[in-house]
Amino acid sequence: MGSINAAVDVRQQGGVAVVAMDNPPVNALGFVLRSGLMQAMEQLRSDPSVKAVVLSGTARAFSGGADITEFGQASRDPNLRQVIAAIEDMPMPVVAAIQGVALGGGLELALGCHARVAWATARVGLPEVKLGLLPGAGGTQRLPRIVGVEKALAMIVTGNPIGAKEAAECGLVDALLDGAYPDAAVEWARGVQDRRRVRDREDALEPARADPGLIDRIAAPLLKASGAAAPRACVESVRGAVTMAFEEGLANERQLFEGLVTGDESRAQRYAFFAEREAQKAVLPAGTQARPVARAAVIGAGTMGGGIAMCFANAGIPVTVIETEQAALDRGMARIAELYGISAKRGSITATQAEERRGRIQGRLGLEGVEGADIVVEAVFEDMGVKKQVFAALDRLAKPGAVLATNTSYLDIDEIASVTSRPGDVLGMHFFSPANVMKLLEVVRGGQTSPEVIATAADVGKKLAKVGVVVGNCFGFVGNRMLARRSDAAERLLLDGASPAEVDAALVAFGFRMGPFAMGDMAGLDIGMRIRKAFGKRAPVSDALCEAGRYGQKTGSGYYLYEGRNARPDPEVDRIIAAESAKLGITRHPVGAEEITERLVYPMINEGARILEEGIAARPGDIDAIWLHGYNWPAWRGGPMFYADLVGLARIRDRLQDFFAATGDELLRPAPLLVKLADAGQGFGGEKARAA
Ligand code: 3H9
């Protein structure tokens, strides 16, 4: 007994052997941990003094699942399926003691045990679908045998984990314990007589066996319109649990898993998993320390300010919301209370939590309310003059060392900072709407922002559960700057002959939830028009729609005609577009779906190349994380820069060259970095950089 290897330790506690997994940070089931578990089982199975085994993890994780970094490499035995089979065949009961997460292969390991006990902190689930995979170590066969097909499909197809209480309610865990870990499980294991294997349970499958249409009825709403392959494969694998014998179902699951793990979709999603984590590691001088943040202030109680204040309150940080007029403050505070009320009603938080969170938000009139705040986030109207006034006042009123952030989505951070005597403390924190929901936060470093202030904003981002990505200062930063290229392209497509519905359909087929025009109608077309006016720019079709009073959903018409939220094409829009084309002397012609997609996406990639070249983003993965978390880029396409590498930069260079030749638009001329890499037969290399 004692240490088996670097990741596994075995000790005896009066007839019960504790097999402790300790492979930081999350007990990923890499080769060392798997072989340690295998050796431990071999050692214990023939030991007559061992009456039961407890398999334990750490406070953070029972196990976070298979080691994702091993996918795509040659597999090394014992594989996870073999380890699980060895546990299942132990002659004495094996009990999984779950604290923290048991996810993916981690939960599959627990399902190989004869019983499971959990502590209140446990979160269990099969999130493989989020990596473009399905649970490939028996999860699709064993989980439905315990919780039934309906619950299993919900967990496997969405990938969303459940908490300890829910796991106990559905029988996934046999008992909730609250004593010392894992000693309470050792005590519990002494009472276990039954060592029935999960694979031998059949009762929970009966309803689906008796009703062949049941699986499809349950699966249909879960699959929705997703174009990804993994959710469908998950359903097929669960179907195998119902229609096949256990071993056959297992072989079917394995085959489906192998098909996914070698495909581009899973490669993209695994890349995205790591890009998201890497993007949050700001490139800063060694030893840079974040400043402590105990109190925040948000200027502006509008939709954005209110949402940002809720983020602080949700993270346990008291926050003052500041307005200039009582009525605006009252409206903002009422809206916040309403949103918390809705969350409590839906059950996503308890009524007590809602009350606590709301209690952390205090409303104040006047900028004097920023006193005592360690961080101030300004979320007032997007107007340079107004922002400068606010920052000049903040310079007088905020305490020394406070981080002064603006939530602008495109204005120049340096110009805003220039009205203060402390430009080192000023930066952008660009939240996305609705701020309390969207995960992205662009942390915008100004020319003089100190590393310490960037570290503080990044640290605050983490506390607020955001994906905080540090970017440079330029018009629109990373996300909106690239989005502008897509909007230009979408306008141009209309003028050339495509309809709004064709453009939207192409982007939805690509994997976005909405096309640019449906999205514009939802957000309000007047917003874009105001920004364009401020910068002396025009978008002929959008401007013409606005001039006709068509602002989108809120006016009942925009690019489409609305009955409630239902959109339908409007011949009037076709006339407006044709008139604008004629004014510009453009001969309209049909545009195919593939060309539409290329013309929307490649200019964004081109802009991404410029952004990298200028150092506005530090890594291609940072750009991808921004698009995945702020703009609904389909996860299974990895992000625009990953997608570019998949398509091949030579193709993108050549098509951009075509677009440039056709329009003379300088922004469509292939960017020097793109040309250089394409000529050298290389890609942006986000994925390779990670693997290195
Ligand atoms: C699977 O199991 C397939 C099987 O069905 C079939 C096999 C045959 N592997 O997120 P964090 C790293 S597929 C490798 O910042 P948190 C992560 O990169 C797997 N590395 O912490 C990071 O590294 P670094 C199914 C992993 O506390 C560090 O750990 N499982 C893995 O916010 C900390 O991560 C999943 O999909 C892994 N599996 O969240 C779960 N997991 O510090 C994926 C984490 O160098 N993981 N790392 O940046 C998660 O959802 C979260 O990481 C977790 C912890 C909730 C576990």
Side-chain angles (χ1 to χ4, degrees), residues 313-314 340 349 352-361:
N314 297 351
Y340 278 130
I349 52 174
T352 319
Q353 278 170 325
E355 213 32 61
E356 278 168 9
R357 291 176 186 196
R358 200 162 69 104
R360 289 191 197 110
I361 306 178

Side-chain angles (χ1 to χ4, degrees), residues 536-559:
K537 292 192 174 148
R538 268 190 63 74
V541 177
S542 192
D543 288 345
L545 292 174
C546 287
E547 278 151 25
R550 306 178 67 113
Y551 287 177
Q553 282 188 19
K554 61 184 166 192
T555 57
S557 66
Y559 287 100

Side-chain angles (χ1 to χ4, degrees), residues 24-29 60-61 63-71 79-81 101 103-106 108 123 125-128 130-131 133-139 257-258 273-274 276-278 280-281 690:
V26 299
N27 271 335
L29 288 152
R60 187 176 185 185
S63 166
D67 186 337
I68 305 166
T69 59
E70 284 185 356
F71 293 144
N79 64 40
L80 187 54
R81 300 177 188 100
V101 293
L103 295 176
E108 292 174 299
R123 267 192 319 129
L126 294 173
E128 285 88 341
K130 295 184 182 179
L131 297 170
L133 297 170
L134 55 78
F257 180 87
E258 295 300 333
F273 175 84
F274 290 113
E276 172 188 328
R277 282 157 181 80
E278 186 136 347
Q280 293 180 68
K281 293 173 188 154
R690 235 222 59 75

Side-chain angles (χ1 to χ4, degrees), residues 200-216:
D200 299 325
R201 302 195 195 178
E202 298 285 317
D203 296 0
L205 297 176
E206 279 317 315
R209 285 190 172 147
D211 176 359
L214 184 66
I215 290 190
D216 289 322

Side-chain angles (χ1 to χ4, degrees), residues 16 31 138 188 229 245 269 304 454 492 507 522 537 642 666:
V16 178
F31 171 70
W188 192 87
Q269 281 178 266
M304 211 57 208
I454 297 167
R492 178 75 208 195
L507 217 56
M522 200 175 77
K537 292 192 174 148
F642 177 89
E666 273 302 323

